[in-house]
Amino acid sequence: MIEVLLNKPEFEYDIHSLIKAFFPEQYVGVSAEKKEYDEKIDIRMQVNYGEDTIQITWQEIVHANEKPGQEEVKEIPGETIQVDFSDRVRTKNQLKQMLYRMLCDYTKRTLPWGNLTGIRPTKIPMKLLEEGKSREEIYRYMKDTYFASDEKIELATDIAERENAILKKIDYDNGYSLYIGIPFCPTTCLYCSFTSYPLVSWKNRVDAYLDALEKEIDYTAAKFYHKHLNSIYIGGGTPTTLEPYQLDRLIRKIKCSFDLSDCLEFTVEAGRPDSITREKLEVLRKWGITRISINPQTMQQRTLDLIGRRHSVEQTVESFKIARELGFDDINMDLIMGLPEESLEDVRDTLEQIMQLKPDNLTVHSLALKRAARLNMFKEDYKDYKMVNTQEHMDLTASYAKKMDLFPYYLYRQKGMAGNLENVGYAKEGKAGVYNILIMEEKQTIVACGAGASTKRVWTEPNPDGTHRIERCENVKDVAQYIARIDEMIQRKQQLFSEE
């Protein structure tokens, strides 16, 4: 493990995130208090904050045998910088720059995104574009501040320019978006940490869940009747685990409750091919929905079996063809890079198969193992599986996206992401997902209904630093608790939106 001891609690999260990016397999403990750890300490780092300086010193500890006290301690060259603590943002950047240089020297490698550890890299060029900065000025800032690679700077800036053009249609002052969560899936995938429950355990309570959900929808419709609804996203879980009559009931409720005259996009995440039937797709088309997701994650059958996706490659192809036959003209497909035992050639074969289907959107995820994922919770069971994601994988997906006339339009990162890389959404011209951009850029309020859903209120009046005040309220994740406490979930929203 790596131990980082601070002389006072400052910038712990930033230090932890950057070290973890270089050492993803290591446990990293960052604290202003001396702690006892069960793991052997391989690197010990000390961060001292002075009146106007930050000093980092560190040691490498070589464990020659099992006897404590007989380790070999190697001093690693440290560094000290002058800072002005009154400028917190600049101080944080200086600290991360120093730490990044030291980690690069020690590991003899760099990171694609440099010392940038936030999950929304496009926010930086987006803000600079809004300030009227040129591409050259954006490049210089991201290179000097974050040491990002040329490729990542170009990608982030390209996406920011596309997002800027799309978001001009959005009403920030009087608009909002709506998320509806369906927390059921056919099975739980190894890598998944979303709020989802195997349908077999809840089949008899889905209608009771919809009863509670409709109550929350009624509150939302009444509260926001005077606002413009710009986008709707039904996600999960897997919304198409609902029976056709339940899907019909839900969409009928939404259509009857809200004024959709300002709605630019209505998406239903069909997701798992083993949940999709012709009858369910016909329900969606009946209500005029054309934007859906059919998400294979991979087109390698052995991988699907390994990760708990109880569907076949053939089901993915069949579901896609039925959707096209019924008139769906905006279909997204999700892929994950870094799945267990997949080689670069496996990824190439998957992309070849996807290219034959000609989707309108392609979302490429770098595998991120969160604490709630079974693959992370039961590491010992899966420790022999090789999981690799590299820049070569991302370059390959980008090249295939280009062949399919798909252009990058949104990007985000997650903690624990394989290869310190990113998730990228590609789309044909005119098919970019408005909701996907809004959820990333945090420029518009998103009201979320359902178990585990998180509502995000965005104040349109900017702060002095150009950011926006954002507050959240979350619904309980447990379905039974959501049903029993639906009035409390509504009260949480009432409280969040009580202040004008």
Side-chain angles (χ1 to χ4, degrees):
M1 71 160 288
I2 298 172
E3 179 188 39
V4 184
L5 189 61
L6 317 176
N7 68 332
K8 60 181 178 180
E10 288 284 354
F11 306 112
E12 299 101 306
Y13 175 82
D14 301 287
I15 292 169
H16 180 276
S17 298
L18 190 51
I19 294 174
K20 194 70 176 173
F22 278 91
F23 299 98
E25 301 301 321
Q26 289 269 24
Y27 177 78
V28 179
V30 181
S31 177
E33 299 176 3
K34 182 64 179 174
K35 297 184 177 181
E36 294 297 325
Y37 298 100
D38 294 332
E39 294 95 334
K40 288 181 180 177
I41 296 173
D42 300 306
I43 294 174
R44 180 177 287 117
M45 186 178 292
Q46 177 79 45
V47 180
N48 289 309
Y49 300 107
E51 286 190 11
D52 57 0
T53 61
I54 301 176
Q55 180 187 53
I56 298 179
T57 59
W58 56 334
Q59 302 168 326
E60 180 182 358
I61 301 169
V62 181
H63 302 275
N65 53 51
E66 297 299 321
K67 294 182 180 180
Q70 295 190 8
E71 304 92 349
E72 181 185 353
V73 178
K74 295 182 179 178
E75 296 293 334
I76 302 170
E79 194 171 332
T80 303
I81 55 169
Q82 295 285 133
V83 295
D84 176 3
F85 283 103
S86 66
D87 188 340
R88 189 171 176 81
V89 173
R90 186 163 186 269
T91 298
K92 180 179 75 172
N93 286 337
Q94 287 177 290
L95 168 62
K96 290 174 70 174
Q97 289 164 3
M98 172 173 62
L99 181 56
Y100 181 77
R101 286 193 299 267
M102 295 172 73
L103 291 167
C104 288
D105 288 343
Y106 180 76
T107 62
K108 302 294 186 278
R109 66 189 185 94
T110 59
L111 299 178
W113 288 100
N115 67 49
L116 188 57
T117 53
I119 66 172
R120 300 178 180 90
T122 52
K123 274 184 170 291
I124 298 162
M126 176 76 81
K127 181 175 181 294
L128 295 173
L129 283 170
E130 289 171 349
E131 293 172 359
K133 296 291 192 292
S134 67
R135 284 187 71 106
E136 176 57 34
E137 289 173 308
I138 293 169
Y139 171 85
R140 197 70 270 152
Y141 178 80
M142 293 189 71
K143 180 65 72 174
D144 292 346
T145 305
Y146 304 109
F147 309 139
S149 68
D150 291 358
E151 294 78 13
K152 298 305 179 191
I153 295 173
E154 182 178 8
L155 176 64
T157 308
D158 284 348
I159 289 173
E161 287 180 337
R162 285 197 178 91
E163 287 182 344
N164 247 350
I166 293 167
L167 291 179
K168 286 177 181 176
K169 309 172 189 174
I170 300 300
D171 185 345
Y172 295 141
D173 292 326
N174 295 301
Y176 72 106
S177 289
L178 176 68
Y179 174 84
I180 304 289
I182 305 298
F184 308 111
C185 276
T187 58
T188 302
C189 299
L190 282 181
Y191 53 80
C192 184
S193 63
F194 289 107
T195 301
S196 65
Y197 299 87
L199 184 64
V200 66
S201 304
W202 291 92
K203 198 169 184 66
N204 295 330
R205 298 203 67 187
V206 174
D207 285 305
Y209 176 78
L210 292 177
D211 290 341
L213 183 60
E214 288 188 355
K215 196 170 183 180
E216 195 174 12
I217 288 172
D218 283 337
Y219 162 76
T220 304
K223 176 66 179 177
F224 292 89
Y225 77 93
H226 59 300
K227 298 283 188 180
H228 300 151
L229 179 54
N230 291 150
S231 71
I232 302 171
Y233 192 100
I234 303 180
T238 307
T240 42
T241 51
L242 298 180
E243 293 296 329
Y245 81 89
Q246 293 166 334
L247 264 178
D248 186 75
R249 170 188 173 180
L250 175 61
I251 298 172
R252 181 189 301 273
K253 179 66 179 177
I254 294 169
K255 290 269 188 173
C256 293
S257 300
F258 297 94
D259 178 0
L260 303 187
S261 57
D262 295 298
C263 191
L264 303 170
E265 172 185 285
F266 193 144
T267 302
V268 177
E269 191 174 331
R272 296 266 296 255
D274 49 341
S275 72
I276 299 171
T277 65
R278 177 181 287 271
E279 191 177 0
K280 292 177 185 179
L281 291 176
E282 285 173 344
V283 169
L284 300 181
R285 286 298 295 126
K286 181 184 83 170
W287 289 108
I289 292 167
T290 62
R291 182 179 176 81
I292 61 171
S293 289
I294 298 174
N295 300 334
Q297 313 303 10
T298 176
M299 298 293 270
Q300 308 303 305
Q301 190 61 52
R302 68 181 185 281
T303 310
L304 291 172
D305 296 340
L306 177 61
I307 64 178
R309 299 280 287 192
R310 303 287 174 81
H311 66 82
S312 65
V313 171
E314 289 75 19
Q315 280 178 300
T316 300
V317 174
E318 182 64 19
S319 298
F320 192 95
K321 287 182 176 178
I322 293 172
R324 281 289 197 235
E325 179 190 324
L326 292 174
F328 288 90
D329 62 2
D330 198 347
I331 304 177
N332 173 74
M333 302 188 86
D334 278 11
L335 297 178
I336 298 180
M337 300 294 106
L339 288 171
E341 296 298 296
E342 285 214 345
S343 67
L344 190 64
E345 285 310 305
D346 289 330
V347 174
R348 188 186 303 277
D349 180 68
T350 288
L351 289 164
E352 285 286 344
Q353 293 186 61
I354 294 295
M355 189 163 63
Q356 298 307 310
L357 295 173
K358 301 179 182 177
D360 307 283
N361 293 252
L362 181 68
T363 306
V364 180
H365 299 272
S366 292
L367 181 66
L369 294 183
K370 297 186 178 180
R371 283 178 296 177
R374 281 194 294 144
L375 201 56
N376 206 23
M377 291 165 66
F378 304 107
K379 285 181 180 178
E380 284 302 305
D381 296 339
Y382 305 104
K383 66 180 187 310
D384 295 329
Y385 292 112
K386 187 178 181 183
M387 292 180 284
V388 178
N389 186 34
T390 66
Q391 187 59 50
E392 196 174 3
H393 287 74
M394 302 307 288
D395 290 344
L396 184 66
T397 58
S399 68
Y400 270 86
K402 191 172 183 179
K403 289 179 188 177
M404 291 184 268
D405 293 325
L406 304 175
F407 303 94
Y409 78 93
Y410 89 109
L411 178 156
Y412 70 102
R413 302 171 72 206
Q414 292 166 277
K415 287 178 66 176
M417 186 165 278
N420 191 239
L421 294 166
E422 65 279 331
N423 301 325
V424 184
Y426 298 90
K428 289 183 178 177
E429 290 293 345
K431 303 289 187 180
V434 172
Y435 178 86
N436 290 332
I437 298 173
L438 290 171
I439 198 74
M440 285 302 112
E441 296 304 328
E442 298 182 314
K443 290 178 176 290
Q444 187 188 57
T445 291
I446 296 177
V447 183
C449 301
S454 179
T455 293
K456 185 188 300 181
R457 182 178 181 184
V458 181
W459 272 258
T460 54
E461 188 67 31
N463 296 322
D465 63 357
T467 62
H468 291 265
R469 177 184 168 193
I470 298 172
E471 291 189 14
R472 295 168 172 81
C473 72
E474 296 183 349
N475 288 345
V476 292
K477 294 183 178 181
D478 182 84
V479 173
Q481 286 293 307
Y482 173 78
I483 294 170
R485 298 163 59 188
I486 186 59
D487 291 337
E488 180 190 333
M489 301 305 101
I490 292 170
Q491 286 169 5
R492 290 181 184 184
K493 284 184 171 58
Q494 287 174 332
Q495 184 174 353
L496 178 64
F497 291 104
S498 62
E499 179 187 340
E500 293 300 334

